[in-house]
Amino acid sequence: MSCWETIADYALRSQGIGERLLPRSDFTLCQQFTLIGSGMIWNVYFGVVALCGGFFLATLVALGKAARSPWLRKPSEWFIFIFRGSPLFIQFFFAYFLFLSLKGVMPIFAPFTAAWLGALVVLFLNTAAYSGEIFYGALQSIPKGDVEAADAYGISGVSRFRRIIWPTMLRLAWPAYTNEAIFLFHATTLVFFSGFPASRQMGDALYYASYFADKTFNPFIPYPILAGYFILLTLVVIGLFGAINKRLNRHLPQEQRRKIRLRPNLIR
Amino acid sequence: MGLYWSVLTVLALLAITAPAAILFGFGGATAARSRIAPLRWVGKGYISIVRGVPDIAFFLFFVIALDQLFEWARHSVLCPDWDQPIRQGNDFVVCAAAKLPLSSSPQWVHETYGFFLAILTFALVFGAFTANVLFGAMRAVPRAQIETAEAYGMSERQAFWRIMVPQMWVYALPGLSNLWMVLIKATPLLFLLGVEDIVYWARELGGTKTPQFTDYPHGDWRMWYFFALLVFYLLFTKVSEVVLDRVMKRLTKGQATTGGEAQRKAPA
């Protein structure tokens, strides 16, 4: 079997398209590359959707935490504490079994027990909490003069937030937010390792990597492949976020621009 | 019974790993700032390699790699007249005397060996992060302090142990407390390493492995086990926060930092 045939058979295997049986013996490098790459579709899907959704919730949570009224502040603080204070791993497990028992009561929750929705909800809430904390910190460090200048110009209320506070907040938070995004992509590998089952062996990259490692007893090939894919993904994320960072900082003189310092994190 | 035992396992892991990681980190940091070039390269290489590789892939990969390394080392010492290759296709074959632990040894040896591997992995990974923190902290100790020590006629070694080491903890503590939080949240990954920890028990209790457990006499209780775990971790995080705050207060006392100044000037 040539490599092209393998790619045709397995490139979309993680979505259930193509050859149904996974390779069982005589594993080739090509098969490992194709299947692990196919699993990356899930990682990208979880990361991108959770990040896009989480961004908006994070802004709301940050505003809530900075609010003066305790009715807004307390729930936001608790939300952030719960999701940042407990391991994501446990959150996945808990959510899975929570959805399972809810499914017994209300059939409406049936799709939540599948990874594509259930795990997405957990990742969404989790990243919202982490980025909410980042945005809150940025919100606290907005230069006083900016807000005073806005007041002097008679900009107030929603338009002051939209045109002054929010862009500055993003600008200040962006380097930390980039780290959070990278970190979230790494965290997507936990999905199929926690409670969520991979139906019909449609798993993510780590699922296939560990499949190969289990079958061949040789971790030195699949895991480096996985690491390679993730490094590529991280580079893409850095590129995209760097471009946005440039745009957010374009009005500042060259030397005041905030550089992104990458601090890879380990586990959430 | 196993459940309570597993809670102890997690606590024991934390209690052993934290000092071990600090030792590894201390060694790494001192090596990284050593004047002998090869030693410096080793230290820097250790820090950057371990910090650069993302996520649980490390945990999955490292345990097998360590295990194989130990077995290979024992194999080359114990069975010098073994003529077959160690890697036979997909299998990793060593002679029976080199197996770790010996296949004839009782169950608890196997469990302890797994636990030991887990601790070693955690200590190695977190040691690299600690090394980075301590490396920064050592550089943060004001140069004048060391110069004063030299002026008093202390040797380099004395200045290091009597001046640098006691003072660096203030600068290291914020980073170390961060790491401690991450370490707490990393413990559920023990389950991936094959140690019977709390996640393992929470999964085992209250249900069979088949998904059709909705027809149990009682409901699916695993949700509540995981809820308890969630609360356990949240409490643990909260307590650590409070304790670390106290330690920070104690450490800043009499230091040449803003915090120390503020404490000095505060009305006694």
Side-chain angles (χ1 to χ4, degrees):
Chain A
M1 201 156 81
S2 78
C3 194
W4 285 114
E5 285 170 37
T6 310
I7 291 179
D9 282 347
Y10 289 120
L12 292 173
R13 177 64 184 79
S14 65
Q15 308 304 310
I17 303 169
E19 187 65 31
R20 203 173 61 80
L21 286 175
L22 292 183
R24 286 182 182 281
S25 55
D26 305 324
F27 304 93
T28 60
L29 257 186
C30 178
Q31 282 173 339
Q32 307 205 3
F33 263 105
T34 317
L35 261 180
I36 295 174
S38 145
M40 287 300 285
I41 299 174
W42 278 116
N43 294 95
V44 173
Y45 159 78
F46 283 128
V48 169
V49 180
L51 211 57
C52 292
F55 178 79
F56 295 101
L57 186 59
T59 313
L60 288 182
V61 169
L63 283 178
K65 195 174 174 184
R68 208 163 296 151
S69 148
W71 291 102
L72 287 173
R73 201 178 61 232
K74 284 290 161 195
S76 317
E77 276 176 358
W78 274 99
F79 175 73
I80 290 179
F81 174 67
I82 286 174
F83 277 94
R84 289 185 75 221
S86 59
L88 177 63
F89 210 52
I90 303 282
Q91 289 167 22
F92 272 133
F93 273 118
F94 176 61
Y96 176 61
F97 291 118
L98 176 73
F99 289 142
L100 263 187
S101 8
L102 281 178
K103 181 182 162 188
V105 185
M106 278 178 287
I108 232 178
F109 281 100
F112 280 92
T113 53
W116 70 268
L117 188 57
L120 188 64
V121 169
V122 177
L123 279 171
F124 161 71
L125 292 175
N126 192 280
T127 188
Y130 275 85
S131 357
E133 182 70 21
I134 293 173
F135 287 163
Y136 169 72
L139 214 53
Q140 299 300 89
S141 49
I142 288 178
K144 210 167 64 170
D146 286 18
V147 185
E148 279 168 5
D151 287 338
Y153 274 105
I155 306 174
S156 64
V158 176
S159 74
R160 182 180 74 169
F161 174 73
R162 199 176 61 79
R163 291 162 71 173
I164 313 289
I165 295 181
W166 194 60
T168 315
M169 177 190 91
L170 284 186
R171 182 172 66 83
L172 294 174
W174 208 255
Y177 190 57
T178 309
N179 286 330
E180 158 63 22
I182 295 172
F183 193 19
L184 177 72
F185 276 105
H186 289 172
T188 54
T189 48
L190 282 174
V191 171
F192 290 107
F193 258 89
S194 55
F196 291 97
S199 65
R200 282 174 287 142
Q201 296 187 314
M202 287 151 43
D204 75 333
L206 186 63
Y207 177 84
Y208 289 123
S210 66
Y211 172 82
F212 283 120
D214 279 353
K215 290 276 177 247
T216 59
F217 296 109
N218 183 2
F220 295 95
I221 296 174
Y223 289 125
I225 293 176
L226 176 76
Y229 274 120
F230 265 94
I231 289 168
L232 279 184
L233 183 63
T234 307
L235 286 179
V236 172
V237 172
I238 291 173
L240 275 178
F241 276 69
I244 299 176
N245 189 45
K246 233 183 197 158
R247 191 179 151 76
L248 285 171
N249 281 308
R250 72 191 188 286
H251 60 285
L252 290 177
Q254 211 43 254
E255 70 273 14
Q256 275 187 26
R257 297 192 179 173
R258 288 171 69 92
K259 287 261 165 53
I260 295 184
R261 267 187 68 235
L262 292 170
R263 271 188 319 167
N265 223 326
L266 191 69
I267 283 134
R268 61 169 54 189
Chain B
M1 194 59 217
L3 177 67
Y4 303 114
W5 195 244
S6 66
V7 175
L8 283 183
T9 312
V10 167
L11 293 180
L13 177 98
L14 281 172
I16 301 175
T17 311
I22 286 186
L23 271 184
F24 270 89
F26 195 79
T30 33
R33 60 192 297 286
S34 151
R35 208 172 293 153
I36 310 157
L39 206 59
R40 197 167 60 226
W41 295 333
V42 169
K44 291 226 161 131
Y46 167 54
I47 294 178
S48 46
I49 289 175
V50 178
R51 284 178 73 230
V53 176
D55 252 330
I56 56 169
F58 206 118
F59 283 85
L60 288 177
F61 169 75
F62 216 71
V63 171
I64 308 180
L66 265 183
D67 193 31
Q68 293 194 352
L69 178 76
F70 286 151
E71 290 196 343
W72 176 78
R74 280 168 60 96
H75 176 83
S76 15
V77 174
L78 293 178
C79 323
D81 46 350
W82 185 269
D83 51 354
Q84 283 157 318
I86 288 184
R87 279 200 184 285
Q88 294 177 357
N90 291 330
D91 294 328
F92 184 81
V93 184
V94 290
C95 61
K99 278 255 177 280
L100 256 186
L102 295 171
S103 48
S104 56
S105 54
Q107 179 63 24
W108 69 268
V109 176
H110 282 263
E111 278 169 18
T112 316
Y113 179 67
F115 186 64
F116 165 74
L117 270 186
I119 284 181
L120 197 59
T121 316
F122 267 79
L124 268 178
V125 172
F126 280 89
F129 285 82
T130 316
N132 195 45
V133 169
L134 291 182
F135 183 68
M138 285 179 187
R139 288 171 59 161
V141 173
R143 182 82 195 104
Q145 299 280 342
I146 308 295
E147 276 164 12
T148 315
E150 279 163 7
Y152 273 101
M154 287 192 195
S155 72
E156 206 169 309
R157 174 172 300 212
Q158 280 175 327
F160 178 75
W161 284 110
R162 296 192 191 171
I163 308 296
M164 176 96 87
V165 172
Q167 287 197 23
M168 72 181 188
W169 298 111
V170 200
Y171 304 98
L173 197 67
L176 287 184
S177 54
N178 248 345
L179 277 180
W180 171 249
M181 299 292 180
V182 178
L183 181 63
I184 291 176
K185 290 195 275 168
T187 49
L189 292 180
L190 265 182
F191 145 79
L192 285 185
L193 306 186
V195 178
E196 292 183 6
D197 78 325
I198 29 189
V199 176
Y200 172 85
W201 278 105
R203 260 161 67 108
E204 288 299 299
L205 290 168
T208 53
K209 279 179 181 167
T210 51
Q212 274 82 34
F213 45 69
T214 26
D215 35 324
Y216 264 86
H218 58 75
D220 186 9
W221 283 353
R222 281 183 288 181
M223 183 181 109
W224 299 110
Y225 294 124
F226 277 105
F227 183 71
L229 273 190
L230 209 68
V231 172
F232 169 73
Y233 277 105
L234 284 176
L235 277 179
F236 207 12
T237 317
K238 197 83 201 169
V239 169
S240 310
E241 257 176 30
V242 173
V243 170
L244 286 168
D245 250 22
R246 290 245 175 103
V247 175
M248 188 67 196
K249 278 225 179 76
R250 178 78 193 72
L251 275 180
T252 29
K253 206 171 167 191
Q255 291 284 343
T257 55
T258 12
E261 271 302 285
Q263 268 187 13
R264 196 172 62 82
K265 281 186 187 146

